[in-house]
Amino acid sequence: MSTHHPAPAPIGGRLLNPVTLVCGVLIAIMATILLVRMFTGLGAVTHLNDGYSWGLWVVVDVMVGSALACGGFSVALLVYIFNRGRYHPLVRPALLASLFGYTLAGAGIFFDLGRWWNFWHIFWPGYVNPNSVMFEVAACVTAYILVMWIEFSPVVLEQFGLKVAKQKLEKVLFVFVALGVLLPMMHQSSLGTMLVIMGSQVHALWQTPLQPVIYLLSAIVLGWGVVLFESCVAAAGYRRSIEVDLLNPMAKIMLGAIALYLAVRAGDIAARGVAGLAFEPTWAALWFWIENLAFLAPFLLIRTAEQRRNPARLFLAGVAVMAGGSLVRLNGYLITFNSGPGWHYFPALTEVLVTAGMFAIEVLGYILITRRFPVLPREPAAAA
């Protein structure tokens, strides 16, 4: 039986506050660095080299950023595929976070291209390589960004009172909802495929033909973890009651998905005979355990229904899942990646500042839109 929830409404309040000011400063710094990058090249602002052509901007802003933006996809799976309509109030805030995450991931790819002025080659018929997994990722991510903006447009139409336009769009919205579930499955699994084709440069603990499955499962789990994190932070930031009646059962489903993910991960390592590498005194083994202990942490934090009613535990479980899912990508693509002797990479401060600016755009955008558009369920403001 579905539970009634209030209709979404703008939160209201001041747009200028300490958080938005800090975000604005970080964005200004990022814009300055990127302006220098566009005219002087990647070498002027990054530590990339011939051994490490992908650094913080691609791995964090794109690989990790797109996975952290899977909240909309994961909630859509529950609501539209598994017909769990009770979770519908989580759709709009999750979609908003995903929209910003994927849009900025697309921008991150653009800024990391050496010859950025040739970006249009990716989609031009004379240059397209349909056999390339990178082309599939680029095409799917681009299409998914467009689909999410269309999915979110009823929120804008509703705010501006364009009821007729909204009604017409909603008649065909099911097509875009279906694409919004299909496209992430395609490109998230393909991000794992890219590790497979990199061969021996990827450490054996992460080099497996099952990477497409591992990446897809971890992205779904990560999406639910982000929803836990986002819901707790939004409730605290806006002084709202947290939606425990929705997060509690969703967290239980997330635990089941984590168990499936860990079973696939452990079975794959055992079947390939590389389990011994996890017990060697190496940095790779250490990061392997940190990654998987992060996925195990939610079982200690929110194992029982009583624990799942505790907002602090839900928040920490979300953070743990986000850390584990992020490390799946960081470990495979960057931390344990080996280009051969003589090559090393550590991000420059400018790279870190650009990444901070990207996340600042997400935070600022979330605040501005939730304050002015009907995204979160209507709720009387609590006393300060």
Side-chain angles (χ1 to χ4, degrees):
M1 181 180 296
S2 62
T3 305
H4 174 73
H5 290 271
I11 295 296
R14 294 190 310 146
L15 297 181
L16 193 61
N17 56 58
V19 176
T20 57
L21 283 173
V22 170
C23 288
V25 171
L26 289 173
I27 293 168
I29 294 172
M30 177 199 70
T32 302
I33 295 171
L34 289 179
L35 187 64
V36 174
R37 175 265 173 274
M38 300 302 279
F39 289 99
T40 60
L42 285 167
V45 295
T46 73
H47 285 169
L48 297 176
N49 51 61
D50 289 343
Y52 289 86
S53 56
W54 285 353
L56 197 67
W57 291 357
V58 167
V59 179
V60 173
D61 299 356
V62 180
M63 310 297 183
V64 174
S66 67
L68 290 173
C70 278
F73 160 56
S74 298
V75 174
L77 276 178
L78 288 178
V79 174
Y80 301 114
I81 303 301
F82 297 109
N83 199 28
R84 303 293 182 92
R86 65 183 300 182
Y87 298 107
H88 201 274
L90 299 176
V91 170
R92 283 190 177 183
L95 178 61
L96 175 61
S98 296
L99 191 153
F100 275 109
Y102 266 98
T103 302
L104 292 171
I109 295 174
F110 176 77
F111 290 120
D112 198 77
L113 290 176
R115 298 179 179 179
W116 55 267
W117 55 88
N118 286 332
F119 181 78
W120 58 275
H121 286 185
I122 296 175
F123 303 108
W124 193 254
Y127 294 97
V128 165
N129 179 7
N131 297 317
S132 167
V133 67
M134 290 182 67
F135 168 72
E136 191 268 346
V137 170
C140 283
V141 168
T142 303
Y144 187 47
I145 292 171
L146 178 61
V147 164
M148 281 193 294
W149 279 102
I150 294 173
E151 284 185 285
F152 192 76
S153 59
V155 177
V156 180
L157 297 175
E158 180 180 324
Q159 178 62 19
F160 289 107
L162 302 173
K163 295 182 180 180
V164 175
K166 182 187 174 186
Q167 290 172 354
K168 290 182 178 180
L169 177 60
E170 287 179 340
K171 291 180 180 179
V172 296
L173 202 58
F174 70 93
V175 175
F176 299 100
V177 170
L179 288 172
V181 173
L182 174 64
L183 291 170
M185 288 185 175
M186 295 172 65
H187 63 253
Q188 286 297 335
S189 60
S190 293
L191 290 176
T193 303
M194 286 166 57
L195 276 185
V196 176
I197 63 178
M198 289 179 182
S200 60
Q201 290 179 308
V202 178
H203 191 278
L205 288 172
W206 290 271
Q207 180 51 278
T208 166
L210 285 185
Q211 275 294 7
V213 177
I214 290 170
Y215 262 58
L216 179 57
L217 286 176
S218 64
I220 294 172
V221 170
L222 218 164
W224 289 326
V226 170
V227 171
L228 292 179
F229 172 83
E230 171 202 330
S231 298
C232 293
V233 171
Y238 290 142
R239 295 187 175 93
R240 296 163 54 89
S241 59
I242 191 168
E243 299 162 319
V244 176
D245 61 320
L246 296 178
L247 301 182
N248 182 341
M250 189 195 73
K252 185 177 180 180
I253 294 172
M254 184 184 76
L255 290 178
I258 293 175
L260 175 60
Y261 166 81
L262 290 174
V264 171
R265 192 84 165 93
D268 168 70
I269 289 174
R272 291 188 294 114
V274 297
L277 296 177
F279 298 94
E280 294 181 352
T282 62
W283 282 110
L286 175 63
W287 282 109
F288 171 83
W289 285 111
I290 294 174
E291 170 192 312
N292 288 282
L293 287 174
F295 278 115
L296 286 169
F299 290 98
L300 300 177
L301 291 165
I302 55 172
R303 181 178 66 260
T304 66
E306 182 179 354
Q307 290 174 333
R308 291 193 295 275
R309 285 191 288 269
N310 185 322
R313 286 180 174 270
L314 290 172
F315 171 80
L316 291 174
V319 171
V321 169
M322 290 166 64
S326 298
L327 283 173
V328 169
R329 289 146 179 82
L330 283 168
N331 284 335
Y333 276 103
L334 196 59
I335 295 176
T336 68
F337 190 82
N338 184 9
S339 286
W343 297 113
H344 304 282
Y345 169 79
F346 191 84
L349 176 61
T350 44
E351 293 178 77
V352 175
L353 289 172
V354 167
T355 295
M358 288 286 189
F359 283 102
I361 293 176
E362 293 188 52
V363 174
L364 180 61
Y366 188 91
I367 292 173
L368 296 181
I369 292 181
T370 52
R371 285 193 181 277
R372 293 295 180 262
F373 291 86
V375 175
L376 298 172
R378 185 186 303 273
E379 180 177 294

